[in-house]
Amino acid sequence: MTQLVRRLRLGSGLVLFAFVLTHFINHGLGLISLEALEAGRELFLRLWRNWPATVVLYGALLAHLGLAFWAIYQRRRLAMPAWEAAQLLLGVAIPPLLTLHILGTRLAAELFGVEDDYHFVLLIYFHFSPWNGVKQGLVMLVAWLHACIGLHFWLRLRPWYGTARPYAYAAALLVPVISGLGVLISGRDVLRLAADPDWLAATTNRIRMPNDAAVAWIGRTETGILIGLAALLALTLGARWLRAWLARRAGMVHLAYPDGRRVTVPAGTSLLEASRGAGIPHAAVCGGKGRCSTCRVRVSKGLESLPPASEAETKVLARVGAAPNVRLACQTRPTGDLEITPLLPPSASPRQAWGRSSTLQGQEREVAILFADLRGFTALSENKLPYDVVFVLNRYFAAMGKAVEQAGGRVDKFIGDGVMALFGVEADAQRGCAAALAAARGMAQQLADSNGELANDLERPLRIGIGIHVGPVIVGEMGYGAATTVTAIGDAVNTASRLEAMTKEFGAQLVLSEPVAERAGQDLGRFPRREVELRGREGALAVRVVTDAATLP
């Protein structure tokens, strides 16, 4: 049912958006001339004024309106983010503002034979009834804002939308401006023509201006529709009140949050509505429509009393590799007491709503870890200007990052003048070890190239030390806000870091553990083997010492 409602809302909204967009494009032709405006209207009518298109258009309008009232009824609480409230209020405002325009154009043409071309419309709105012209301009703006908000919060979940958003924003501003200017210029031209009594009489006769009886019928019909819409809104709000009263009589549920806050709501209220109603910030990038996973919570107590997840909720949770005790707050309506923990910060972004590998949610995996550090750069930079230091470091980071990515690794972080990279996060340890060795070879080659390019900027060439180890670590997205990144923690990370430090002791460019060589499937017998003791690690670790990583096979 939820999926059907969502698709119907989206489909009807796209139909109405297409109608408004083509209407605006038509208006923009008024910047050229009245004749161009009328020529565009002929194409517009061919597209929309036929029986199939009429059924689709007005069916979409009624469906979208009905779903707006359904959205109001479905909410247990009316607390919601400002953008969501704005979209809902704008959507409800469109029908009463648009009613007179529909009655005065399409219906007047069908019932009274009115020629509702742009001479007729512009005469009404600029000459006979300017107030209705202002109201029509307002409804076009309201409809455009409502559509743009809906499109933005639908498309923001797409990975490509971040790149396209500036262009979409520019179009969202330019289209109504061009349309409005086209209408204003055409209206000015019609006012100039209407100053001639003969032209005005001939035009009103040609377009068969509605007589007093027709105008009165249109007015009565508009009043009846407005009363009907008001009654429908009152009925919706009354049904909400009745449902809330029955829910309170049926029982209340108590929700406990990690910070000690407790919320009591009627049974059947969604967890997201409960949080928002109590003023507890709760992430929901898609607006609580079950299209993303940012509102997900961990249920630590009371899971057995929850209704089973719907098919749509199950798909979203599976996409992010959620644990069995994780549910979507917007789709979960408890019937018993719960203890819950929201899993994402309230500031969660669309990036965190995209379907990603379950690895990134936190898993124990065996990966290869590489640490690389510049040797003696502090002393090298003492006599340089800050700008020069930053320039050299950025060139170095770019070269090392390129080598890591070309080998199929993931740059974890830059620490001072050091680099940490992970290999095999999305694959296995064998391929990860092979990729790490390829990255070390590439880093040595990139460093040699960089030293050649920076020869005039450096007193002596840059040198690096690289350490590589493989082992079990916990991999996942960790951090806060914009500083969240994929990283790894565990003893293997510490071991790789200490191997990198040992390159100073051995006077080598690379020290890698024997397990890395074995997993990579490479014969490194020509490189010296050593047994080393590492702080915090029991027993000796066999390593290979490579003087120049560029000589790796």
Side-chain angles (χ1 to χ4, degrees), residues 47-58:
L47 178 62
W48 292 106
R49 197 166 287 190
N50 54 71
W51 279 111
T54 297
V55 171
V56 170
L57 176 62
Y58 287 97

PDB file of all heavy atoms in Angstrom, residues 47-58:
ATOM      1  N   LEU A  47      -0.841  19.387 -27.250  1.00  0.00           N
ATOM      2  CA  LEU A  47      -0.255  18.464 -26.276  1.00  0.00           C
ATOM      3  C   LEU A  47      -1.230  18.111 -25.161  1.00  0.00           C
ATOM      4  O   LEU A  47      -1.352  16.941 -24.777  1.00  0.00           O
ATOM      5  CB  LEU A  47       1.025  19.082 -25.686  1.00  0.00           C
ATOM      6  CG  LEU A  47       1.746  18.265 -24.609  1.00  0.00           C
ATOM      7  CD1 LEU A  47       2.223  16.929 -25.173  1.00  0.00           C
ATOM      8  CD2 LEU A  47       2.921  19.059 -24.042  1.00  0.00           C
ATOM      9  N   TRP A  48      -1.966  19.111 -24.658  1.00  0.00           N
ATOM     10  CA  TRP A  48      -2.740  18.903 -23.434  1.00  0.00           C
ATOM     11  C   TRP A  48      -4.250  18.906 -23.627  1.00  0.00           C
ATOM     12  O   TRP A  48      -4.965  18.345 -22.797  1.00  0.00           O
ATOM     13  CB  TRP A  48      -2.388  19.985 -22.398  1.00  0.00           C
ATOM     14  CG  TRP A  48      -0.998  19.861 -21.873  1.00  0.00           C
ATOM     15  CD1 TRP A  48       0.076  20.650 -22.180  1.00  0.00           C
ATOM     16  CD2 TRP A  48      -0.504  18.876 -20.959  1.00  0.00           C
ATOM     17  NE1 TRP A  48       1.205  20.228 -21.510  1.00  0.00           N
ATOM     18  CE2 TRP A  48       0.862  19.137 -20.747  1.00  0.00           C
ATOM     19  CE3 TRP A  48      -1.100  17.800 -20.294  1.00  0.00           C
ATOM     20  CZ2 TRP A  48       1.649  18.361 -19.898  1.00  0.00           C
ATOM     21  CZ3 TRP A  48      -0.319  17.029 -19.447  1.00  0.00           C
ATOM     22  CH2 TRP A  48       1.033  17.304 -19.249  1.00  0.00           C
ATOM     23  N   ARG A  49      -4.780  19.545 -24.683  1.00  0.00           N
ATOM     24  CA  ARG A  49      -6.226  19.647 -24.809  1.00  0.00           C
ATOM     25  C   ARG A  49      -6.755  18.586 -25.776  1.00  0.00           C
ATOM     26  O   ARG A  49      -7.257  18.882 -26.862  1.00  0.00           O
ATOM     27  CB  ARG A  49      -6.648  21.046 -25.225  1.00  0.00           C
ATOM     28  CG  ARG A  49      -8.135  21.294 -24.960  1.00  0.00           C
ATOM     29  CD  ARG A  49      -8.515  22.753 -25.044  1.00  0.00           C
ATOM     30  NE  ARG A  49      -8.057  23.537 -23.911  1.00  0.00           N
ATOM     31  CZ  ARG A  49      -8.415  24.791 -23.661  1.00  0.00           C
ATOM     32  NH1 ARG A  49      -9.249  25.422 -24.491  1.00  0.00           N
ATOM     33  NH2 ARG A  49      -7.952  25.422 -22.606  1.00  0.00           N
ATOM     34  N   ASN A  50      -6.588  17.335 -25.387  1.00  0.00           N
ATOM     35  CA  ASN A  50      -7.216  16.214 -26.068  1.00  0.00           C
ATOM     36  C   ASN A  50      -7.704  15.281 -24.975  1.00  0.00           C
ATOM     37  O   ASN A  50      -7.285  15.386 -23.814  1.00  0.00           O
ATOM     38  CB  ASN A  50      -6.225  15.531 -27.024  1.00  0.00           C
ATOM     39  CG  ASN A  50      -4.942  15.119 -26.318  1.00  0.00           C
ATOM     40  OD1 ASN A  50      -4.943  14.187 -25.524  1.00  0.00           O
ATOM     41  ND2 ASN A  50      -3.839  15.830 -26.596  1.00  0.00           N
ATOM     42  N   TRP A  51      -8.570  14.343 -25.336  1.00  0.00           N
ATOM     43  CA  TRP A  51      -9.213  13.550 -24.287  1.00  0.00           C
ATOM     44  C   TRP A  51      -8.238  12.692 -23.486  1.00  0.00           C
ATOM     45  O   TRP A  51      -8.322  12.653 -22.243  1.00  0.00           O
ATOM     46  CB  TRP A  51     -10.329  12.692 -24.887  1.00  0.00           C
ATOM     47  CG  TRP A  51     -11.582  13.490 -25.080  1.00  0.00           C
ATOM     48  CD1 TRP A  51     -12.135  13.871 -26.263  1.00  0.00           C
ATOM     49  CD2 TRP A  51     -12.406  14.048 -24.050  1.00  0.00           C
ATOM     50  NE1 TRP A  51     -13.264  14.636 -26.061  1.00  0.00           N
ATOM     51  CE2 TRP A  51     -13.458  14.755 -24.691  1.00  0.00           C
ATOM     52  CE3 TRP A  51     -12.374  14.031 -22.665  1.00  0.00           C
ATOM     53  CZ2 TRP A  51     -14.452  15.428 -24.000  1.00  0.00           C
ATOM     54  CZ3 TRP A  51     -13.354  14.698 -21.957  1.00  0.00           C
ATOM     55  CH2 TRP A  51     -14.378  15.383 -22.623  1.00  0.00           C
ATOM     56  N   PRO A  52      -7.293  11.991 -24.109  1.00  0.00           N
ATOM     57  CA  PRO A  52      -6.348  11.217 -23.287  1.00  0.00           C
ATOM     58  C   PRO A  52      -5.556  12.088 -22.314  1.00  0.00           C
ATOM     59  O   PRO A  52      -5.418  11.757 -21.136  1.00  0.00           O
ATOM     60  CB  PRO A  52      -5.430  10.563 -24.330  1.00  0.00           C
ATOM     61  CG  PRO A  52      -6.256  10.501 -25.571  1.00  0.00           C
ATOM     62  CD  PRO A  52      -7.090  11.735 -25.552  1.00  0.00           C
ATOM     63  N   ALA A  53      -5.038  13.226 -22.836  1.00  0.00           N
ATOM     64  CA  ALA A  53      -4.252  14.104 -21.971  1.00  0.00           C
ATOM     65  C   ALA A  53      -5.118  14.733 -20.889  1.00  0.00           C
ATOM     66  O   ALA A  53      -4.676  14.935 -19.752  1.00  0.00           O
ATOM     67  CB  ALA A  53      -3.584  15.194 -22.806  1.00  0.00           C
ATOM     68  N   THR A  54      -6.383  15.047 -21.243  1.00  0.00           N
ATOM     69  CA  THR A  54      -7.293  15.633 -20.256  1.00  0.00           C
ATOM     70  C   THR A  54      -7.554  14.665 -19.103  1.00  0.00           C
ATOM     71  O   THR A  54      -7.530  15.041 -17.926  1.00  0.00           O
ATOM     72  CB  THR A  54      -8.623  16.025 -20.918  1.00  0.00           C
ATOM     73  OG1 THR A  54      -8.364  17.035 -21.906  1.00  0.00           O
ATOM     74  CG2 THR A  54      -9.605  16.558 -19.892  1.00  0.00           C
ATOM     75  N   VAL A  55      -7.788  13.420 -19.449  1.00  0.00           N
ATOM     76  CA  VAL A  55      -8.029  12.411 -18.406  1.00  0.00           C
ATOM     77  C   VAL A  55      -6.802  12.266 -17.514  1.00  0.00           C
ATOM     78  O   VAL A  55      -6.905  12.220 -16.276  1.00  0.00           O
ATOM     79  CB  VAL A  55      -8.406  11.059 -19.050  1.00  0.00           C
ATOM     80  CG1 VAL A  55      -8.437   9.955 -17.992  1.00  0.00           C
ATOM     81  CG2 VAL A  55      -9.758  11.161 -19.745  1.00  0.00           C
ATOM     82  N   VAL A  56      -5.611  12.205 -18.133  1.00  0.00           N
ATOM     83  CA  VAL A  56      -4.376  12.050 -17.358  1.00  0.00           C
ATOM     84  C   VAL A  56      -4.138  13.276 -16.483  1.00  0.00           C
ATOM     85  O   VAL A  56      -3.817  13.163 -15.293  1.00  0.00           O
ATOM     86  CB  VAL A  56      -3.174  11.818 -18.299  1.00  0.00           C
ATOM     87  CG1 VAL A  56      -1.858  11.899 -17.522  1.00  0.00           C
ATOM     88  CG2 VAL A  56      -3.299  10.478 -18.990  1.00  0.00           C
ATOM     89  N   LEU A  57      -4.312  14.477 -17.063  1.00  0.00           N
ATOM     90  CA  LEU A  57      -4.025  15.712 -16.334  1.00  0.00           C
ATOM     91  C   LEU A  57      -4.950  15.895 -15.135  1.00  0.00           C
ATOM     92  O   LEU A  57      -4.497  16.095 -14.006  1.00  0.00           O
ATOM     93  CB  LEU A  57      -4.121  16.905 -17.276  1.00  0.00           C
ATOM     94  CG  LEU A  57      -3.940  18.284 -16.637  1.00  0.00           C
ATOM     95  CD1 LEU A  57      -2.547  18.398 -16.015  1.00  0.00           C
ATOM     96  CD2 LEU A  57      -4.161  19.387 -17.666  1.00  0.00           C
ATOM     97  N   TYR A  58      -6.266  15.832 -15.374  1.00  0.00           N
ATOM     98  CA  TYR A  58      -7.197  16.084 -14.274  1.00  0.00           C
ATOM     99  C   TYR A  58      -7.251  14.895 -13.313  1.00  0.00           C
ATOM    100  O   TYR A  58      -7.530  15.070 -12.119  1.00  0.00           O
ATOM    101  CB  TYR A  58      -8.577  16.435 -14.821  1.00  0.00           C
ATOM    102  CG  TYR A  58      -8.597  17.828 -15.415  1.00  0.00           C
ATOM    103  CD1 TYR A  58      -8.450  18.016 -16.786  1.00  0.00           C
ATOM    104  CD2 TYR A  58      -8.702  18.941 -14.607  1.00  0.00           C
ATOM    105  CE1 TYR A  58      -8.425  19.293 -17.336  1.00  0.00           C
ATOM    106  CE2 TYR A  58      -8.682  20.225 -15.142  1.00  0.00           C
ATOM    107  CZ  TYR A  58      -8.553  20.394 -16.510  1.00  0.00           C
ATOM    108  OH  TYR A  58      -8.507  21.657 -17.031  1.00  0.00           O
TER     109      TYR A  58
END
